[in-house]
Amino acid sequence: MIYGRRHDPSAYGSPHSGRQVRVLLAVPFATASLLTLPPAAAQQADGERLFRQRCATCHSVGAGQNKAGPHLSGIIGRPAASVDGAHYSKALKSAGIIWDRQSLDIFLTQPSRLVPGTRMTVRVSDAADRSAIIGYLENQAHN
Ligand code: HEC
């Protein structure tokens, strides 16, 4: 009886307690390593994710691959409505815009405010999300 008690593992705590401590320590370490990503890399990843979620149904970043909307490869520096084979509204064709960070930011906030009559209706209301998406598009210039 006494012999049995001395070797009862519960006297030394649960055999799982060591593992619980390791899991609790791992969470803050994982968070810290995300925060140490260079901001530009983090933003690029964010921009790609947002683009996939909110734009990719209608837009590709591969040159020549038009979907419901024109492809957005090389969009920065390109005149609005200038992709061959894409179907554009009259409104966008006559908008006279050269896409840059600023015009894209205004367009994505509310397309119809910059180009009344455009068929692009998707709005990105969060400024940080717009900036991440535009940053991602800036890097799709050579596809
Ligand atoms: C439901 C489909 C759809 C979605 C989703 C969509 N767009 Fe569009 N987009 C269009 C269409 C259609 C046009 C052409 C509009 C026109 O001709 O008036 C367009 C045009 C554009 C243009 C102008 C392209 C050019 O050649 O001048 C940009 C830039 C653009 N979209 C960016 C985006 C971004 C960034 C997103 C995601 C936040 C997005 N779009 C989401 C359908 C979409």
Side-chain angles (χ1 to χ4, degrees), residues 1 4 16 19 24 32 34 38 55 60 67-68 70 77 87 91-92 97-98 103 106 111 126 133:
M1 192 65 178
H16 298 296
R19 186 198 280 185
L24 288 175
L34 270 183
C55 320
S60 139
K67 300 185 179 178
H87 300 291
L92 195 60
I97 297 166
I98 306 283
S103 56
I106 297 168
D126 186 283
I133 291 171

Side-chain angles (χ1 to χ4, degrees), residues 54-55 58-59 78 80-81 88-89 99 104 118-120 122:
R54 307 183 64 170
C55 320
C58 300
H59 294 288
R78 193 165 93 188
Y88 287 111
S89 63
W99 293 121
L104 281 173
T118 180
R119 291 183 8 246
M120 157 88 179
V122 173

Side-chain angles (χ1 to χ4, degrees), residues 45-61 67-69 72 107-111 120-134 136-137:
D46 229 28
E48 182 170 4
R49 178 179 54 80
L50 289 164
F51 183 85
R52 289 225 174 106
Q53 287 171 351
R54 307 183 64 170
C55 320
T57 321
C58 300
H59 294 288
S60 139
V61 289
K67 300 185 179 178
L72 297 180
F107 187 62
L108 293 178
T109 306
Q110 188 177 340
M120 157 88 179
T121 54
V122 173
R123 296 183 193 184
V124 182
S125 53
D126 186 283
D129 286 357
R130 287 195 304 276
S131 170
I133 291 171
I134 294 166
Y136 171 70
L137 289 174

